Amino acid sequence: MSVIVRNIVKVLLPILFGVGILWWMYRGTDWGGFLQAVTTQMNWGWMILSLVFGVLPQMMRAWRWQIALAPLGELPRRRTCVDAIFLSYASSLVIPRIGEVARCGTLKRCDGTSFSKAIGTVVTERMVDSLVILLLTAVAFCSQLPTLLRFLTASGTDVDSILQRFTGTGYLVTLLCIVAACMLLGWLLHNFSVFHKGKDLLRNVWNGIVSLRHIRHLPLYIFYSFAIWGCYFLHFYLAFFCFDFTAGISPAAAFLIFCIGSFAVLVPTPNGAGPWHFAVKTMLVIYGVAEQPAILFALVVHTIQTFEVVLLGVYGWADLTLLKRRKISSNK
């Protein structure tokens, strides 16, 4: 298989996988009723407020990244870091997981930041994010386990009856999501092993990983690491108040749903499309939301939040273009 064909398959396969799950979930949807619910039943004030917390975590990622690069002697402008993050999230909608490379390339092109050192800090960032979300998920699960068991008992619903609601296709989708997540892990390990081909590149990556030891503002770095996920949660949870059928879900329950959805995003589809819908819908049903409203919520929230990512990406690209033109003009 040629390199071009292989790259095309890498791009198309995740998209087709996500589209397939979405088709399966929404194949019987009454789109007229769906549009009516969005236009007449949805509280747009809460949605607009939630979108604010979609911008903040991306900006805090940029601020945290700048802190991590400083000990390595790399001092990119904060504005460039923010634009690079905006652009990276948008680019991942086209090619899943390409954002890490895109943002490091942006700093290299615009501010002369070492690409390999930037990649090293991204590896560190991913490790920190993984530890934070694992910790938060453990807390969410432990805090909700008694409540969840009481709910299942009171409603006469046990695990067996929940599993019986899964069709054969539902089991297949779950299995495919697990397999895709495992394939993603293997792909990441394979790509990071490429760093061993160059001693200088490997040294710079390692320097990025251990750069946390030399960060001057470590408490601020840690604060950003938790605040990022706090904003992501508010980005998700505030959308619950857009609809009557989700407004009554407790913050603790919503936090567990958020954590489960965050793991679903690991499946390499554009912005987690498909697996995220499936995970959120399933958790909402467990908490007593009817299936049709649950899939309505998942589709509306994901679509609007994805559109926000696109807009931020367009802004980042436009701002970087403006900065480049100003730099050219000042050099004349």
Side-chain angles (χ1 to χ4, degrees):
M1 183 183 294
S2 67
V3 176
I4 295 177
V5 173
R6 189 162 56 246
N7 289 334
I8 292 175
V9 171
K10 286 181 180 179
V11 174
L12 290 181
L13 191 60
I15 295 175
L16 293 175
F17 180 57
V19 170
I21 297 177
L22 291 175
W23 173 84
W24 169 71
M25 287 184 61
Y26 296 98
R27 64 191 185 281
T29 300
D30 177 10
W31 293 108
F34 171 83
L35 293 175
Q36 182 179 5
V38 172
T39 56
T40 62
Q41 300 177 18
M42 181 175 168
N43 188 325
W44 280 93
W46 283 106
M47 180 58 72
I48 293 172
L49 181 60
S50 77
L51 294 179
V52 174
F53 291 96
V55 181
L56 286 177
Q58 293 196 37
M59 296 181 68
M60 284 191 286
R61 278 193 180 279
W63 303 338
R64 184 181 65 172
W65 194 21
Q66 193 179 35
I67 292 174
L69 285 167
L72 304 177
E74 303 294 341
L75 303 173
R77 292 167 292 179
R78 173 168 290 194
R79 183 173 174 179
T80 308
C81 289
V82 172
D83 289 339
I85 293 292
F86 287 166
L87 198 59
S88 71
Y89 275 81
S91 61
S92 291
L93 297 178
V94 181
I95 305 177
R97 311 307 173 197
I98 197 66
E100 286 82 355
V101 176
R103 62 163 155 154
C104 294
T106 299
L107 287 197
K108 171 67 175 178
R109 185 175 65 256
C110 297
D111 285 358
T113 302
S114 167
F115 182 85
S116 54
K117 288 181 180 180
I119 281 287
T121 58
V122 171
V123 174
T124 306
E125 179 182 302
R126 287 291 173 253
M127 293 169 59
V128 171
D129 284 339
S130 297
L131 290 174
V132 171
I133 191 59
L134 285 172
L135 175 62
L136 295 178
T137 301
V139 171
F141 184 79
C142 291
S143 65
Q144 274 299 286
L145 185 58
T147 302
L148 190 57
L149 291 176
R150 283 198 303 270
F151 169 79
L152 294 177
T153 301
S155 61
T157 307
D158 54 21
V159 176
D160 289 337
S161 61
I162 291 174
L163 293 178
Q164 288 174 5
R165 298 178 66 177
F166 271 50
T167 63
T169 309
Y171 281 112
L172 178 60
V173 169
T174 303
L175 178 62
L176 288 175
C177 288
I178 295 173
V179 171
C182 292
M183 291 176 62
L184 171 63
L185 178 61
W187 179 82
L188 290 174
L189 292 175
H190 170 74
N191 279 273
F192 284 134
S193 69
V194 174
F195 294 147
H196 293 282
K197 295 180 180 179
K199 292 183 178 179
D200 292 337
L201 185 59
L202 178 60
R203 187 184 306 114
N204 283 333
V205 171
W206 175 249
N207 288 337
I209 294 174
V210 301
S211 63
L212 287 178
R213 295 185 306 171
H214 308 292
I215 287 179
R216 294 179 56 188
H217 305 290
L218 186 57
L220 184 59
Y221 186 96
I222 296 173
F223 168 77
Y224 282 148
S225 298
F226 281 93
I228 285 168
W229 288 100
C231 287
Y232 278 141
F233 169 63
L234 290 174
H235 186 38
F236 176 69
Y237 176 59
L238 291 176
F240 277 50
F241 297 98
C242 294
F243 300 99
D244 292 338
F245 50 80
T246 51
I249 295 178
S250 69
F255 189 61
L256 178 59
I257 298 172
F258 162 76
C259 292
I260 299 298
S262 297
F263 281 102
V265 173
L266 294 177
V267 180
T269 60
N271 204 25
W276 186 90
H277 294 73
F278 180 74
V280 170
K281 183 268 294 186
T282 301
M283 290 300 297
L284 287 174
V285 169
I286 290 176
Y287 275 99
V289 178
E291 185 168 352
Q292 285 303 311
I295 64 175
L296 166 67
F297 174 86
L299 181 61
V300 170
V301 171
H302 188 272
T303 300
I304 294 176
Q305 292 183 353
T306 300
F307 184 65
E308 181 183 32
V309 171
V310 173
L311 289 180
L312 291 176
V314 171
Y315 169 83
W317 173 81
D319 194 44
L320 288 171
T321 302
L322 178 62
L323 290 174
K324 181 179 179 180
R325 289 178 178 175
R326 286 181 177 177
K327 183 177 180 179
I328 294 175
S329 298
S330 62
N331 291 334
K332 289 183 178 180

